[in-house]
Amino acid sequence: MVDDVCIAQSVTNLPIDASNHPYTWLMQPRRETRKIWVGDDRTGRVAIGGGAPIAVQTMCAGYTHDIDACVAEIRRYHKAGAELVRVAVPERKDTEALREIIKQVEVPIVADVHFHYQRALESIAAGVHKIRLNPGNINDREQVNSVIDACKERGIPIRVGVNEGSIIERRDKQRRMEELGKYFAGHRAGHLLALMITKLEEYLEIFEARDFHQVVLSAKSMDAALVIDIYTEIANRFDYPLHLGVTHAGTKDSGAIRSVVALGSLIANGIGDTVRISYASDHIDEVKDALEMLYCLGKRERKGVELIACPTCGRIQVDLFTLVKEVEKTLMPELQLPIKVAVMGCIVNGPGEAEGADVAVFAGDRRGIIYVQGERVANVPEEEILARLLAECKTFEARVRSGEAKLGEKKVDIVPPDPIGELGSGHAKIAAGHVEQVTVGRT
Ligand code: SF4
């Protein structure tokens, strides 16, 4: 039992000045960078770097020349929270479509250009808001210069991106790797670190020679640990804002983990100004995962419900997996405020775990008791939980909007109900053989 005296003693033993202590706080202050702006009067402008909130972006999966489909795709991502949307423009018909697409959407659009500098110039003429360019795959320096000059004239920023796959030097590879590797001796991929930094430096010289500084940098790899190291190195060398990403990260499951491990670590270290999580799945998930990562790191103010759910265990009293999925599907589109909602599988740990939530339900004997800021408001059968929870959340949201209630306020401590009392639950009855323990949804 931890009593007040123990806590007081422990706290007294803590160092008053954390700077004298060997540990460091995980979350580091944000790195200072230049600030660039993307957008126009109609779309609004998104700031990248210079202390602006970390911007979330994604990229369209469909063909840009299919105007209606492209517009619909961009709108979907924008609605989900993307603040910039990138489109590929491999062909002339794509840049021709761009002018119409830009007119129809309300989010800044980035043109992704590879190989053909004309596509960049056409995109700029079509009114695109930012260009992504890899100068390494455009042969002629003068062609790159013409893109830089056109962007400068119109105030359009450029992301200068190097990807591990696109910069590997294939000629005399072994010798080059050994040569480059010595700059980061001991690093398992030191040659790649050196190569990416060298390439970025080389490209930046081109931009700076034309006095162009509206630049965002990226250096992506599919190796999450390398992404952490390469961006850390870049952050130490340049003051341009950074676009973070793990490229070719894989499927949604593995890709999300790979991306969040790398990007989350960097952001916790104060590095990163815009993010794209990318994996082989509906890109709407990329946007949702990127936002969730930023919410979890406290880097963006949450919009919409924050859902907490227990992982379930042998005490589970309702079909919680189904319930949580339904709650997520139902509540997310209906509520705009960041209400914390907890869905707990039993009354043993449910009340404790739900304590910090605005609205909580915990289950017992195929029923759910619902609390709003600690106050018990309902005790309903399992099949009514979802509807009642939604109704309580909506009422609560209305009260917050009218100033009657405040998010995160705890009015009453949740007192666990008597398991064989009003709730008619769970363990005593199970033990007595009156009800079967519910294991629905678990295999
Ligand atoms: S709330 Fe209950 S069912 Fe869920 S994990 Fe905790 S003890 Fe298990």
Side-chain angles (χ1 to χ4, degrees), residues 117-353:
Y117 80 106
Q118 299 97 324
R119 298 293 97 79
L121 295 178
E122 290 154 14
S123 301
I124 294 162
V128 84
H129 304 103
K130 185 175 164 215
I131 297 282
R132 183 266 157 119
L133 201 70
N134 178 353
N137 63 29
I138 295 177
N139 289 334
D140 188 324
R141 169 74 72 91
E142 277 317 305
Q143 293 176 348
V144 177
N145 284 345
S146 66
V147 176
I148 296 173
D149 292 347
C151 282
K152 194 172 174 187
E153 199 186 310
R154 298 203 180 203
I156 295 172
I158 300 177
R159 167 158 72 94
V160 183
V162 291
N163 275 13
E164 178 191 329
S166 65
I167 57 164
I168 285 179
E169 297 184 356
R170 290 182 172 81
R171 210 172 341 139
D172 208 3
K173 193 173 165 189
Q174 194 55 37
R175 188 187 58 79
R176 278 294 284 154
M177 277 168 60
E178 280 165 22
E179 210 173 85
L180 288 162
K182 64 178 185 254
Y183 293 104
F184 293 97
H187 193 287
R188 73 188 160 85
H191 60 288
L192 284 174
L193 277 174
L195 185 58
M196 280 173 147
I197 289 165
T198 310
K199 288 284 172 197
L200 273 183
E201 269 170 0
E202 203 179 284
Y203 298 156
L204 274 175
E205 270 174 30
I206 307 174
F207 288 78
E208 288 172 347
R210 303 194 84 73
D211 197 22
F212 186 89
H213 304 279
Q214 292 284 93
V215 169
V216 179
L217 300 179
S218 70
K220 298 189 185 181
S221 163
M222 62 287 281
D223 177 333
L226 180 61
V227 166
I228 296 173
D229 289 342
I230 182 70
Y231 276 99
T232 305
E233 283 299 325
I234 293 171
N236 288 335
R237 286 172 158 80
F238 309 108
D239 67 351
Y240 291 105
L242 299 183
H243 164 121
L244 303 185
V246 174
T247 191
H248 310 137
T251 60
K252 172 167 165 45
D253 290 342
S254 60
I257 293 170
R258 203 170 277 158
S259 298
V260 169
V261 162
L263 275 49
S265 305
L266 287 161
I267 292 166
N269 274 309
I271 296 169
D273 303 287
T274 176
V275 294
R276 186 210 172 183
I277 285 184
S278 59
Y279 40 62
S281 170
D282 185 341
H283 292 191
I284 208 97
D285 295 328
E286 300 180 355
V287 178
K288 287 182 183 165
D289 286 353
L291 282 166
E292 190 59 38
M293 175 184 69
L294 295 174
Y295 295 151
C296 290
L297 289 165
K299 296 295 177 188
R300 294 296 298 256
E301 207 171 302
R302 184 178 286 278
K303 286 185 187 146
V305 169
E306 179 176 9
L307 185 59
I308 303 161
C310 84
T312 79
C313 72
R315 301 178 188 95
I316 189 169
Q317 299 281 303
V318 293
D319 177 1
L320 195 93
F321 288 179
T322 305
L323 177 63
V324 170
K325 273 196 203 131
E326 289 296 315
V327 166
E328 189 171 42
K329 206 165 83 193
T330 315
L331 258 51
M332 296 296 180
E334 296 273 351
L335 303 164
Q336 278 75 49
L337 295 182
I339 299 170
K340 203 181 260 192
V341 179
V343 182
M344 299 294 156
C346 80
I347 58 164
V348 177
N349 289 334
E353 290 169 19

Side-chain angles (χ1 to χ4, degrees), residues 358-418:
D358 294 306
V359 182
V361 55
F362 43 86
D365 192 13
R366 290 197 178 275
R367 298 185 71 82
I369 41 176
I370 298 175
Y371 286 77
V372 176
Q373 299 205 315
E375 230 169 307
R376 188 202 285 215
V377 294
N379 176 350
V380 292
E382 183 172 3
E383 57 278 12
E384 291 173 25
I385 293 175
L386 185 64
R388 186 60 186 264
L389 189 69
L390 177 62
E392 293 300 338
C393 285
K394 281 182 155 178
T395 308
F396 177 68
E397 187 176 62
R399 284 174 50 219
V400 173
R401 286 194 193 280
S402 70
E404 248 181 86
K406 259 169 71 187
L407 289 171
E409 206 173 47
K410 197 167 122 196
K411 292 227 168 109
V412 187
D413 284 338
I414 296 178
V415 179
D418 172 1

